Amino acid sequence: MTRRWTKWVPALAIPAVVIVGAVMVPLQAGAAGDLPDKTPQQLLEFAASSKVDALSGTLEQASNLGLPDLSSITSSMGGSGAFGASGEDVSQALDLVTGSHTARVFIDGSDARMQVMDQLAERDIVASPDGVWFYDSDKQSAVHLTGSAQRKSADVTAPTPQTIANSVLGKIGDTARVRVGKDGSVAGRPAYKLVVTPKDADTLIGFISLSIDADTGLALAAQVNAKGSSDPAFKLAFTQVTLAAPDASLFDFTPPAGTDVTEKALPASGGSGEHAKGERAAGIATVGTGWSTVAVVPAAQVPADVLSSPMLKSVTTAVTGGRLISTALVNVLIADDGRVLVGSVTPDRLLAAAAGS
């Protein structure tokens, strides 16, 4: 992840967390032996009580979000916008939440490392209580983020199926229907299948399927389907995993000689608590709660080249109050006032959020 990508992370973080990170070589890979029966509530409690905080493994991601072709916009963007972002920057950022990727992940408590394996190149994110490194071998560039000890590395942790599970389990309450699916196997480990179907009429999410390790309760795979679709829009899973502490030297990152290093401070943490017009976090407001949360990116944080691109109309649909980009799981409203609203919600929900925020 290059310096330019980190400027786009806040704008992409909310939708990415909903579907986050991703992958899997068939999610239903392999059948497992018959596991002891668990009720949906028992499986929820089992998954929520997982204590695994050290592991290493290989993740695979596959995304089929139905994004329109945005190359006409990104190729026309020269120079820099409010964040210094160019067309290449946007293309690289979009690449993180689309297509397919393979990554190695290492986690030990508050230390985490993710290596995204590109063709003939590698991108690394190394996080510890001392700071976070973003390294791109192809660009020979690195960004080093440092900040208060209170933030530590939890703010920039490696996305795994457990990341999605934590988000889902924290939302369920009485907002979703939960059932236990057919037992299976992920990365050679027996796993239960937990299927969560949101009740929220405004969300685009049809259901989320979590494969829960039968021994530890750790989420080994996650799949998100859009409403009305039998094919997953997003998949994330381990194809290999070891539940043991990785070598500590993996978290001691030193940029190779010749790397262009940029030092930056982690942004201050946003406040907590829910408000009618959302809460601020790294300059982004959120409207609503649960499955229909909408992120509102201020106009000042949106690169000017995006808004002024003559190609914008070719990949968006005009609606009252702005222009809309629709995908299977995420809708994006570029408001007339320059704000960008993002959420796994219907266009009407985005428009209502724009009018009320």
Side-chain angles (χ1 to χ4, degrees), residues 291-306:
W291 305 99
S292 56
T293 299
V294 173
V296 184
V297 183
Q301 292 196 22
V302 181
D305 289 343
V306 172

Side-chain angles (χ1 to χ4, degrees), residues 5-347:
W5 292 1
T6 62
K7 296 170 181 177
W8 278 85
V9 165
L12 294 171
I14 297 295
V17 164
V18 177
I19 22 182
V20 188
V23 187
M24 165 177 187
V25 166
L27 197 68
Q28 292 96 336
D34 190 28
L35 296 173
D37 290 342
K38 288 185 182 291
T39 66
Q41 184 60 35
Q42 288 174 330
L43 189 50
L44 281 172
E45 293 173 356
F46 181 50
S49 66
S50 177
K51 301 298 183 184
V52 176
D53 61 0
L55 60 82
S56 61
T58 302
L59 284 168
E60 290 190 0
Q61 163 200 327
S63 304
N64 183 21
L65 302 179
L67 277 168
D69 182 7
L70 302 180
S71 60
S72 58
I73 286 184
T74 58
S75 63
S76 69
M77 289 170 56
S80 61
F83 285 156
S86 67
E88 179 187 3
D89 303 334
V90 180
S91 293
Q92 290 176 332
L94 288 171
D95 179 62
L96 294 178
V97 292
T98 60
S100 300
H101 301 281
T102 298
R104 290 282 292 163
V105 62
F106 308 90
I107 297 174
D108 188 1
S110 60
D111 295 330
R113 179 168 188 160
M114 175 166 278
Q115 299 171 324
V116 181
M117 311 306 296
D118 298 321
Q119 187 174 14
L120 304 178
E122 179 180 308
R123 289 172 281 176
D124 286 77
I125 305 173
V126 184
S128 74
D130 296 327
V132 183
W133 283 98
F134 296 88
Y135 171 68
D136 187 328
S137 66
D138 184 52
K139 303 296 182 183
Q140 291 189 299
S141 64
V143 175
H144 186 209
L145 299 179
T146 55
S148 67
Q150 286 74 25
R151 290 182 61 84
K152 298 190 177 180
S153 62
D155 296 273
V156 197
T157 191
T160 68
Q162 188 63 40
T163 308
I164 300 177
N166 290 340
S167 177
V168 171
L169 295 175
K171 288 181 180 179
I172 293 177
D174 61 356
T175 68
R177 294 182 293 274
V178 182
R179 65 179 177 86
V180 178
K182 185 178 180 180
D183 299 343
S185 174
V186 177
R189 299 181 65 89
Y192 290 98
K193 183 67 62 68
L194 182 66
V195 182
V196 179
T197 303
K199 297 178 182 177
D200 194 328
D202 287 331
T203 185
L204 301 179
I205 297 172
F207 66 88
I208 299 172
S209 174
L210 301 172
S211 293
I212 306 299
D213 183 62
D215 292 329
T216 65
L218 178 72
L220 298 174
Q223 172 178 306
V224 185
N225 284 52
K227 282 184 176 177
S229 176
S230 60
D231 296 322
F234 199 84
K235 298 189 293 185
L236 172 66
F238 283 105
T239 56
Q240 181 277 322
V241 65
T242 299
L243 304 185
D247 191 316
S249 64
L250 288 165
F251 309 112
D252 185 14
F253 182 77
T254 300
T259 301
D260 179 17
V261 177
T262 299
E263 295 284 345
K264 293 198 171 201
L266 281 166
S269 297
S272 60
E274 296 179 357
H275 306 279
K277 293 188 178 181
E279 60 184 28
R280 289 288 171 177
I284 296 177
T286 58
V287 178
T289 60
W291 305 99
S292 56
T293 299
V294 173
V296 184
V297 183
Q301 292 196 22
V302 181
D305 289 343
V306 172
L307 299 177
S308 62
S309 169
M311 300 296 181
L312 184 62
K313 291 183 179 181
S314 68
V315 295
T316 58
T317 300
V319 295
T320 302
R323 302 197 68 86
L324 185 72
I325 297 177
S326 293
T327 77
L329 286 178
V330 178
N331 278 321
V332 180
L333 174 67
I334 304 171
D336 289 336
D337 61 11
R339 291 175 301 160
V340 174
L341 292 89
V342 184
S344 291
V345 296
T346 62

